Every structure is written in structure tokens, then in C-alpha cells.
Amino acid sequence: MSLHLRTIVTGLFAIMLTILTILLGTIFTKQAGEEVRTEVGESLTGHAVQMEDKLSLFMSNRYQEVQLVSGLRSFKEQNITREKQLIDELKAKFPSFSWIGITDTEGTVIAASDDILLGESIAERPVFLEATKEPFIGDVHDAILLSKLLPNPSGEPLQFVDISVPIKDEAGKFIGVFATHLSWEWAKEMEQNLLKATNSEDETEVLIVSNRDRTVLLGPEGLVGQQIEKDLLDQLASSTEPNEVVEWNNKRYVTGYAMEDGYGDYEGLGWHVIVRQPEEIAYNGVNNLERFMWIISIISILAFALIGWAIADQIAKPLRTITVAAKEIGQGSQREMPVVHGIRDVEDLSLSIRNMVQTITTTQSLLIQMESLAHHDTLTSLPNRIALYEKMEETIAGSKEPWIILFMDLDGFKSINDVYGHKAGDQVLITVANRLKHFAKENQFVSRLGGDEFVFLMNAESEDIQAKGQACMDEIIALIQKPISLKDHTVTVGCSIGAAVYPTDSDHPIEAMHLADEALYASKEKGKGIGTFYRK
């Protein structure tokens, strides 16, 4: 059966374009999809690590506070009146302490916040038994003695984390136990704050699993109190892939994982922190990109097939030249599609194919730009946490020169959101980011972690590191405190800064950043609007 030349040429032309488009489209889509999947997995893992950091830091701070207070002279001398005053002050300052009490050597409560359990015996409770010889930190458990005595507006079962330490007199003799119950509500608040700060509230779930019996301590309503299979936890703990996909109750989730391993003197309770998101939502952007690529490919094939049908009679000979070039490009050659001269229609066709290849190449460049966007904060365009960690690993880690790490937090930002709305708050963040961006000089780096937290890195070239760092903090505070003009209002925000020096304070940049965060709390406690260096 013979065919018209137009049919043959058009068919061959369509096949050539299909192969070229599928080849290039598959390569580009697969590469971009893998990169986006990795970014999604790393983002969820970053959220899990961030939650683990917050848990460890919170527990470490409360543990240090309990140890500090229990070592005061009033406790050593069993001054009940002063002990009660200190207990009430500690509970007022840190509402997460639901109950604080002091026992005698037999386990009878001799002083307590709000006089709850006063005169009662807790001798059989681990919070007393375990702390008779050494400090004790207990895992999350249901309230027993306190369930009917403490206010419970939510009506949900009360859960606590115990922290208790032995009290000894000046001679080192055991005279009682300083016992506390931390409400588990603080962990739920951390979860909500994490999801809000990372804009990940849409079907993103945070789970905290006990290392003792694999029970879900915090998570979706249907999972709390249930046990997680050991094989699933082992799979997450041993995974080396940032985009681990795990099946839960016949539904697939992209999952980030971190294990709580303590902070400072606090050794941690080994909680498993899991952040998960349904696979179809996590990879929605990848699926849309793939569909877009194939739609564009199909449209291109149909369009050029129609052109080929119209000009087939005139392009038989030049078509071979174009076909050869297209095959070479499909095989990875860097050559350009040649422009065939002599026949205007054929010349236009060759130019069109060249433009198509350039369009596909431009699409690849756009995909590379998408990868760059994954390293920058979408609101302020500052580098995000991922870019910050890469900067620390690539530039700071192993550097022979010291670096100053500044951890910044805006003062009064929440009130702007409350009074003027989140749109105004976003404008404040953008203005602050632009000021920091223009303030940063060579060998300096500024990034936004999320919310109103920023990190500033500077190379400490001078010998007087403290003076240089303090001067920089003072300049930043003064810069941020300048009025900010909104649409109908002028507002001001303050700034508190904590600083740490790498490698003086820590030989790991990320840990040094956490120390700077700890110093930030000291600035807040001193009255805000100041910069404080970390002190061991």
C-alpha cells in the first residue's frame, strides 16, 4: 500500500517530535520530581528535628529550674514559709508546672502550690520513690491523685511529665523531695506553634511516641493512646531517605522523623517525633508539574504535526537534515537545531523546532529556579532554614576563623498581628528582612527561620569578638526599632538577640545556634531590646 508523501512526512515528523518531547520531558520531569520529593521529605524531617529541639530545650530548662530552686538555702534549712513562697513564684512564672510540692523523708507533702495534696502521702508514687537518691524525670502519664483536684476546663484526661530531685541539708543528709508535675498541654502548644510557624497546618500531623511502650502521647485524635508497631518505628529510625513513605491504616504518608535525645544535662526520654503528611498532598506540586509537562508536550506534538502536514510537499529533502539534528539532540548532544535556508516554509519550520528546544531548555531553567525557591523564605525572600544549615555546613563548619551567630526574635510583633492583622504583620516582617538584608556585609549571612525569628552569621575577623558582636547587635536593634510605615499606621517593633561564638562555645555550628537561642531567652528575661552573649 502506497502512501502520499505528505502522510509519510507528517507521520515521521510527528514520531520524531514525540520521541524528542518524551525523552526530554521524561528527563526533566523525573529530575525535577525527585528534587521536589527530596525537598518535601527534608522539610518534614526539618519540622521533626525542630519539634525535637523544642521538646528537649523545654524539658532541659524546666529540669535546670527545678534543680536550681531545690538547691536554695530555704530548702536546705526547711523554711516552710519561704519554700511555699518560692513554689508559688515558680508556678506563677511557669504555668506549665501544674503542681509543685515538697515532701518530708517519708513522702508526706509539707508544702505545695495552692496547698493541693498538702498533708497527703505520695510515698508510693515514682515522683517520690525515684527521687530519694537522684534526680528523676518520668515519662508522660495520666494523673492519679491530681485528676480531681486540678482545674480541667477541657474535660480531657490530665497527663503530666514528672521532674523531681532529692533535697539535702548543708551536711548532705536527705531531708525530702522537691516534686513537680508538668502539664502535657505545653507539648500540644508547641505542636500548634510549629505548624503555624512553618505554614504546614494543612493535613500535616505531628506525633510524639513514647520510647517506653511505643504509645502515641501526642497526635491525631484517633491515634493518641494507641501503640505504634515496633517495625514501623524501626523503619523510620533506620531510614536514610529524607522522603520516607510509610503506610498507616491503608493510607500512605510522607514522613519526617527525629528522636528526642536531650539537651545539656537533660539526657532525654527518647521520644520519637514523627511529622507526616498524606502523600497525595505532599507531592501535589510534583503531580501538577508532570501533568503540565505532558499537556505542553502533547500540544507541541499536535501543533508541529499540523505544520508538517501543511508543508510536507516542500520539505522532503530538508526534513532529513532536521531529523538528524533532532535525533542528536534527543541523544544528549549540545548542538543547536540548524536553520535550513532556501525554502521559506522549511526555514520557518526549522526555526520553530529550534524555538521548541529552547523552550524546553528554558523550562529546565525554570525548574532549577524552583529548586532555588525551596531554599528561600516565600514571604521575605531571605534564605530559609535549609539554606542556613547548608551555609553552616559548607562555610562555618571546619572554618579556622571564629564566627558569631546571632539569634534574633522580634519584641511586640504579636501585638501588631492582633491589632492590625496578619497582613500588617507580614509587611513588618518584610520590612525587617529588607533592613537586615541591606545591613549584611561581605562574610555576613542573614536568614529567616520562621515566624519572627531570624539568624545572622558574621565572620569575627577582629581579636575582640565580644566587642564586635555587641556592637553589631546594638546596630541591628537600633535598625529594627526604627518606625515602620504601614498603609494607615506607623508601628515599631523591638528586637532581642542572643549570641554564641563558633567554635568557642561549641564546635558544631547548629549547636552553637541553639546556644545563641538560649542566650536569647536571657535577653528576654533581662527586659528585651538587648543583645546577650551565651555564658556557660
Side-chain angles (χ1 to χ4, degrees):
M1 181 179 66
S2 60
L3 297 173
H4 291 289
L5 178 61
R6 177 179 295 178
T7 303
I8 296 174
V9 172
T10 303
L12 292 175
F13 191 56
I15 292 173
M16 176 195 70
L17 288 173
T18 300
I19 294 174
L20 177 63
T21 304
I22 291 176
L23 178 63
L24 295 178
T26 300
I27 293 174
F28 296 160
T29 303
K30 181 178 180 181
Q31 180 181 355
E34 287 299 321
E35 291 175 353
V36 173
R37 287 185 176 90
T38 299
E39 293 295 340
V40 170
E42 289 177 348
S43 176
L44 292 177
T45 299
H47 298 341
V49 171
Q50 185 178 356
M51 185 67 179
E52 183 273 328
D53 285 344
K54 290 180 177 292
L55 289 172
S56 295
L57 183 59
F58 182 90
M59 288 295 295
S60 175
N61 288 340
R62 302 295 85 77
Y63 176 61
Q64 291 174 6
E65 289 156 5
V66 169
Q67 286 189 313
L68 178 63
V69 173
S70 65
L72 297 177
R73 176 171 296 182
S74 298
F75 289 82
K76 296 180 181 293
E77 296 176 352
Q78 292 186 307
N79 184 337
I80 301 299
T81 302
R82 180 55 179 160
E83 288 175 346
K84 180 64 169 60
Q85 181 182 359
L86 291 172
I87 286 174
D88 291 339
E89 290 177 358
L90 181 61
K91 188 174 184 299
K93 186 174 182 181
F94 300 104
S96 53
F97 286 108
S98 295
W99 179 83
I100 305 173
I102 302 170
T103 75
D104 58 17
T105 57
E106 301 301 321
T108 301
V109 179
I110 61 176
S113 56
D114 301 322
D115 291 334
I116 296 176
L117 295 182
L118 185 64
E120 300 286 337
S121 174
I122 60 171
E124 301 300 322
R125 302 301 303 155
V127 72
F128 172 80
L129 291 174
E130 298 291 341
T132 56
K133 295 182 180 180
E134 61 183 10
F136 167 69
I137 301 178
D139 208 339
V140 179
H141 63 86
D142 294 333
I144 297 179
L145 297 177
L146 297 175
S147 59
K148 298 180 180 180
L149 301 177
L150 290 174
N152 184 15
S154 67
E156 298 179 358
L158 296 177
Q159 290 185 307
F160 299 104
V161 177
D162 296 337
I163 301 178
S164 55
V165 295
I167 304 175
K168 297 181 182 180
D169 61 17
E170 296 292 347
K173 180 182 176 182
F174 173 72
I175 59 174
V177 167
F178 184 83
T180 65
H181 286 322
L182 282 172
S183 171
W184 187 234
E185 291 298 319
W186 59 265
K188 298 178 183 178
E189 294 175 1
M190 283 188 179
E191 172 201 19
Q192 295 302 317
N193 291 336
L194 173 69
L195 295 178
K196 290 179 180 178
T198 56
N199 297 322
S200 301
E201 296 179 88
D202 186 16
E203 294 197 44
T204 300
E205 298 171 336
V206 178
L207 288 79
I208 300 177
V209 182
S210 170
N211 190 44
R212 178 186 57 196
D213 55 7
R214 307 189 309 281
T215 299
V216 177
L217 305 175
L218 177 68
E221 183 176 350
L223 285 180
V224 174
Q226 296 187 12
Q227 282 190 325
I228 301 297
E229 295 179 0
K230 184 177 183 301
D231 291 342
L232 188 147
L233 286 179
D234 291 341
Q235 176 185 350
L236 292 174
S238 61
S239 175
T240 58
E241 298 295 331
N243 53 343
E244 185 75 11
V245 178
V246 177
E247 186 170 332
W248 305 60
N249 298 327
N250 299 321
K251 187 173 182 179
R252 292 168 61 83
Y253 292 85
V254 183
T255 307
Y257 172 85
M259 174 175 279
E260 187 255 349
D261 58 358
Y263 186 87
D265 295 336
Y266 166 63
E267 296 180 355
L269 294 171
W271 291 327
H272 304 272
V273 181
I274 301 170
V275 180
R276 69 180 192 178
Q277 191 176 44
E279 185 179 30
E280 66 272 16
I281 293 181
Y283 294 157
N284 184 55
V286 177
N287 297 332
N288 290 338
L289 174 63
E290 292 176 347
R291 284 193 293 270
F292 175 78
M293 287 293 298
W294 286 116
I295 290 173
I296 293 299
S297 300
I298 292 173
I299 292 175
S300 299
I301 292 171
L302 293 176
F304 282 101
L306 182 61
I307 294 173
W309 178 268
I311 62 175
D313 289 336
Q314 304 296 323
I315 62 172
K317 183 177 180 180
L319 183 60
R320 288 193 292 270
T321 302
I322 297 174
T323 302
V324 170
K327 288 181 178 179
E328 291 179 356
I329 294 174
Q331 294 170 356
S333 173
Q334 298 298 315
R335 65 169 293 183
E336 290 186 342
M337 177 65 67
V339 178
V340 179
H341 298 282
I343 302 176
R344 180 62 181 270
D345 292 339
V346 175
E347 181 176 341
D348 291 341
L349 176 61
S350 61
L351 284 171
S352 298
I353 297 176
R354 169 182 278 192
N355 291 336
M356 182 198 69
V357 174
Q358 291 175 346
T359 299
I360 295 175
T361 304
T362 302
T363 302
Q364 183 184 28
S365 299
L366 292 175
L367 293 175
I368 294 174
Q369 293 178 16
M370 290 175 60
E371 180 183 1
S372 175
L373 289 175
H375 287 73
H376 288 78
D377 175 49
T378 54
L379 177 65
T380 64
S381 298
L382 286 178
N384 59 15
R385 179 181 291 271
I386 296 174
L388 172 64
Y389 282 4
E390 288 183 357
K391 175 70 175 179
M392 288 182 170
E393 292 296 333
E394 295 174 0
T395 305
I396 298 181
S399 174
K400 296 180 180 179
E401 298 179 347
W403 284 76
I404 301 174
I405 301 175
L406 305 182
F407 202 110
M408 296 175 281
D409 182 85
L410 300 184
D411 301 326
F413 175 72
K414 182 178 182 300
S415 64
I416 293 177
N417 274 335
D418 294 341
V419 175
Y420 302 109
H422 290 281
K423 186 175 181 180
D426 289 345
Q427 186 59 49
V428 169
L429 291 175
I430 293 171
T431 302
V432 170
N434 288 334
R435 290 178 179 179
L436 292 173
K437 189 186 304 180
H438 289 93
F439 177 80
K441 304 177 181 63
E442 188 177 358
N443 290 333
Q444 295 179 351
F445 181 86
V446 60
S447 68
R448 180 190 178 205
L449 291 186
D452 58 349
E453 292 182 337
F454 299 85
V455 171
F456 192 90
L457 308 178
M458 58 184 296
N459 185 280
E461 299 175 347
S462 64
E463 295 182 358
D464 194 344
I465 297 176
Q466 293 278 338
K468 181 177 181 180
Q470 191 64 53
C472 181
M473 288 191 287
D474 293 342
E475 290 182 26
I476 291 176
I477 291 171
L479 178 66
I480 292 178
Q481 288 177 342
K482 291 181 179 180
I484 298 175
S485 297
L486 302 179
K487 183 177 180 181
D488 299 316
H489 305 278
T490 298
V491 299
T492 59
V493 291
C495 177
S496 297
I497 305 178
V501 180
Y502 168 89
T504 304
D505 294 326
S506 173
D507 59 1
H508 194 286
I510 296 178
E511 183 178 350
M513 182 185 73
H514 293 320
L515 296 180
D517 187 18
E518 187 174 332
L520 170 63
Y521 281 95
S523 294
K524 293 282 189 181
E525 292 177 355
K526 293 177 182 178
K528 302 181 180 179
I530 61 173
T532 304
F533 270 90
Y534 171 75
R535 294 289 185 273
K536 296 183 179 179

